[in-house]
Structures are given as C-alpha cells and as structure tokens.
C-alpha cells in the first residue's frame, strides 16, 4: 500500500508539472514587433524591460485577421505580467497594441479572440485545480497525463473553432504529442533497454526542425549560464560574458540575460539586508506589544520590497 501511495504522489506531481508546462512551453519562433512612432515606447512592466514584444501579427489582403501562433504569442507576452498588473490593465494594453498593428476590422477580430483566450486561460486554471483531486489512485502515469491533456483539448474546443485551434495551438499539440510518445516508450515494460533507445532515436530522427529547436532551447540557456559561471570564476568581466552570450544567441537575448543578472543581484542584496534587519528586530528586547513588532516588520518589508515582491518572502523567512 505504501508503494502505491508513493507512486500516486509521484504521478500527481508529474501530471501537474506536465499540465503547467502549457503556460511555459517554448515557442518554435520568437518574432519581434518593430515599434512605430505611435507605439508604446516604454516597457509595460519592469519585468519586460530589455525584451522585444512577441508576436508578428498581421491581416490578410481582405483586412481580416491572419490566424496563426503569432497572435497567441502576443497575448502570452503581456498576460505573463499577471501579478505586476491587473487583468483589465493587461487587456487594455493588448487592445492598444492591436489597434496600432492592425486595421480596424482585423483589430476588432483580434480583440474578440483575446476575450475568448483570457476566458480559456481562466477556465484552464479551474480545470487544473479540480484535476488532481479527481485522479483515481490506481491510474498509471501515462493514462493520467493523457487524460489531463485530453481534458485540456476538450476545454479548448469550447472557446475556439477548429481552424483557430490549428492555427494558434498546432505547434503546442505537436510538442505535447511528442512528449506523450516519449512517456509511453519510457513506461512500456515490454521493451528492452535497446528497443527503448531505438524508439526514442526514431522520434528524434523524425522530429520536425522547429520542434527540435524549441526542445533544445532550454538546454542552450543552461549551457550558456554554466559557461557564464565558469567565466566569472576565471575573472571574466560582465562585458566578456555579454559578448559570449550575444555570439551564441543574439544581442537581444544577451541583453535580456544581462538584465536578469542585474535583477537577481539586486534581489539578493535586498534579501540579505532585509533578513539581517529582520533578525535584529526580532531578537532585540521587545518594548511594545506583538502588534508593534508586526507593524515594524511590515515597515521593514515595505522598505525593501514592493507588495508583489513581498509574496516571495515566505520562502526566505
């Protein structure tokens, strides 16, 4: 019974991780929208500084919206700022970009699609909340993952036409199907190790180039950061590291990674100062009530962190 419980817990964790990747999955392309004079010239939120807007949205010759994954990338680019901005603010910002980039007819079509996309994302969160509790204890991992994926696809069909699904989510489905095929091979106890390797190699060989590039992208970032760490240990400057990253990727990507380094350094410095002052405040003789101490702690949090950042402090305190 204990073995089954351990397996079930592991299955739930893996299923949850697989399902959560719907929001984090790398795209097969990363196009840049080139700003015009009338475009919004400043980053929508701090976390987007140094980035280029995803989504090369277009209309066809008849003035209708061109359906493809680029529109979804644009939506996700701004929706990723949830927590820094409220949803109505994000939707308003996307509407502005659509008006700037598209003619009136296509912009209206895109705005209507955006409303459905947001509703789908919200329904997806609810589906995720309910899914884990409904997995039977005797469900094998492959079935659990596949059932959850099929539930997501069924939910998606409630918000989009088949044409929209193919245009916006076709690459996502190919990505997921490849992952499910690999999971099926790994779970097939009838295969020998050699047969399993051969089947995986066949999948690798037949994988489309865009899918392979998307799957390789996270590993490239890991290798770049390992190289950056090694260079720093050997005394390289941040300029040296920037040039290394730019040569391996692009100047835009190198800028984003450099900004991430600066943000991490700033965060770590503020965390160190906060924890040191917090320790002194808690350990000092109490001159007031517990409420006074809590108020002082809150003032300390407010000194170093925004309200959104304070949500992360529980992991450090």
């Amino acid at each position: 019974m204990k073995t089954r419980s351990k397996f079930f817990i592991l299955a739930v964790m893996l299923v949850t991780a697989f399902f959560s990747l719907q929001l984090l999955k790398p795209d097969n392309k990363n196009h840049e929208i080139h700003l015009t004079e009338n475009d919004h010239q400043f980053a929508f939120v701090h976390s987007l500084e140094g980035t280029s807007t995803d989504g090369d949205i277009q209309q066809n010759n008849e003035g209708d919206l061109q359906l493809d994954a680029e529109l979804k990338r644009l939506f996700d680019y701004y929706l990723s700022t949830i927590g820094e901005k409220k949803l109505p603010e994000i939707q308003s910002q996307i509407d502005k970009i659509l008006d700037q980039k598209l003619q009136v007819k296509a912009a209206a079509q895109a705005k209507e699609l955006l409303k459905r996309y947001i509703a789908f994302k919200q329904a997806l969160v609810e589906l995720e909340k309910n899914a884990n509790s409904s997995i039977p204890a005797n469900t094998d991992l492959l079935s659990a993952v596949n059932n959850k994926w099929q539930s997501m696809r069924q939910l998606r069909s409630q918000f989009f036409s088949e044409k929209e699904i193919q245009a916006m989510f076709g690459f996502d489905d190919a990505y997921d199907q490849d992952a499910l095929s690999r999971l099926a091979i790994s779970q097939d106890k009838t295969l020998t190790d050699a047969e399993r390797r051969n089947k995986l190699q066949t999948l690798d060989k037949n994988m489309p180039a865009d899918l392979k590039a998307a799957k390789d992208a996270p590993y490239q970032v890991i290798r770049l950061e390992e190289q950056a760490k090694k260079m720093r240990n050997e005394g390289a400057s941040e300029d040296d590291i920037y040039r290394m990253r730019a040569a391996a990727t692009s100047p835009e990507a190198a800028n984003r990674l450099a900004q991430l380094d600066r943000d991490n350094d700033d965060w770590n410095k503020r965390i160190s100062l906060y924890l040191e002052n917090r320790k002194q405040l808690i350990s000092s003789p109490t001159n007031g009530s517990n409420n006074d101490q809590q108020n002082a702690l809150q003032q300390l949090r407010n000194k170093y962190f925004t309200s959104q950042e304070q949500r992360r402090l529980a992991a450090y305190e």
Side-chain angles (χ1 to χ4, degrees):
M1 185 67 180
K2 182 182 289 187
T3 301
R4 172 179 288 185
S5 298
K6 287 184 177 180
F7 173 80
F8 177 64
I9 293 171
L10 176 61
V12 170
M13 292 173 63
L14 289 174
V15 171
T16 301
F18 175 87
F19 198 76
S20 300
L21 282 175
Q22 297 299 322
L23 304 179
L24 302 174
K25 190 181 303 169
D27 288 317
N28 58 330
K29 292 186 291 181
N30 184 18
H31 290 290
E32 175 182 346
I33 286 182
H34 300 286
L35 295 176
T36 67
E37 290 182 356
N38 297 323
D39 281 340
H40 191 68
Q41 296 290 327
F42 302 98
F44 181 53
V45 294
H46 177 67
S47 65
L48 295 183
E49 290 179 3
T51 70
S52 298
T53 309
D54 284 344
D56 187 17
I57 54 175
Q58 300 177 37
Q59 61 266 321
N60 60 26
N61 294 334
E62 288 73 38
D64 290 308
L65 178 68
Q66 180 172 306
L67 289 172
D68 54 31
E70 297 300 320
L71 193 61
K72 175 176 170 292
R73 292 188 186 96
L74 176 66
F75 294 165
D76 286 338
Y77 178 80
Y78 286 100
L79 289 172
S80 68
T81 65
I82 285 285
E84 294 179 88
K85 292 283 188 177
K86 295 180 180 179
L87 184 56
E89 295 176 292
I90 297 173
Q91 186 169 351
S92 177
Q93 177 64 15
I94 300 175
D95 285 346
K96 290 179 184 177
I97 298 297
L98 295 174
D99 285 331
Q100 291 167 2
K101 294 298 170 185
L102 300 169
Q103 297 173 6
V104 175
K105 181 181 178 182
Q109 293 169 344
K111 290 176 185 177
E112 191 276 331
L113 189 57
L114 171 62
K115 292 179 181 178
R116 285 188 280 131
Y117 188 70
I118 290 174
F120 165 65
K121 287 289 190 179
Q122 292 171 328
L124 195 61
V125 172
E126 292 303 314
L127 179 65
E128 165 66 11
K129 288 180 181 178
N130 299 328
N132 290 336
S133 60
S134 63
I135 301 176
N138 60 347
T139 303
D140 66 88
L141 179 58
L142 178 60
S143 296
V145 173
N146 187 62
N147 290 342
K148 204 164 188 180
W149 185 59
Q150 294 296 342
S151 295
M152 181 274 296
R153 285 166 55 86
Q154 291 174 7
L155 177 67
R156 198 171 60 188
S157 66
Q158 298 175 24
F159 293 89
F160 307 102
S161 68
E162 188 58 38
K163 180 180 178 181
E164 290 169 338
I165 290 173
Q166 182 58 38
M168 296 175 62
F169 302 95
F171 178 81
D172 289 348
D173 287 344
Y175 191 102
D176 290 342
Q177 287 170 353
D178 179 80
L180 284 169
S181 295
R182 293 174 188 277
L183 181 59
I185 293 171
S186 69
Q187 295 289 304
D188 191 344
K189 294 180 172 57
T190 67
L191 298 175
T192 65
D193 289 343
E195 289 171 335
R196 188 172 290 109
R197 283 194 299 270
N198 287 336
K199 284 183 175 291
L200 290 173
Q201 288 172 359
T202 299
L203 285 178
D204 291 338
K205 182 179 179 180
N206 296 330
M207 189 185 303
D210 56 350
L211 183 57
K212 185 177 188 306
K215 285 181 171 289
D216 287 346
Y219 299 104
Q220 183 185 20
V221 173
I222 292 173
R223 289 193 293 269
L224 280 176
E225 292 317 289
E226 289 175 345
Q227 179 66 16
K229 182 179 179 180
K230 179 181 178 182
M231 290 175 64
R232 287 192 180 99
N233 292 337
E234 294 173 351
S237 68
E238 291 304 310
D239 190 48
D240 293 330
I241 292 171
Y242 171 84
R243 288 197 294 269
M244 178 273 293
R245 287 167 167 168
T249 55
S250 69
E252 292 79 11
N255 283 331
R256 289 195 291 270
L257 290 170
Q259 182 61 51
L260 182 61
D261 287 342
R262 290 190 290 270
D263 290 344
N264 286 337
D265 287 343
D266 174 67
W267 172 262
N268 289 332
K269 289 176 182 176
R270 286 186 288 139
I271 281 291
S272 295
L273 289 171
Y274 167 72
L275 292 178
E276 181 179 348
N277 286 306
R278 180 178 183 274
K279 182 179 179 181
Q280 293 175 358
L281 182 61
I282 293 177
S283 61
S284 63
T286 304
N287 297 321
S289 65
N290 182 62
N291 285 339
D292 291 335
Q293 186 182 70
Q294 292 302 316
N295 289 334
L297 284 171
Q298 186 57 52
Q299 290 176 6
L300 188 62
R301 297 187 188 100
N302 295 339
K303 178 180 178 180
Y304 290 108
F305 307 102
T306 66
S307 57
Q308 278 75 28
E309 290 175 332
Q310 289 179 29
R311 298 174 184 175
R312 300 164 56 187
L313 294 181
Y316 296 88
E317 294 177 338

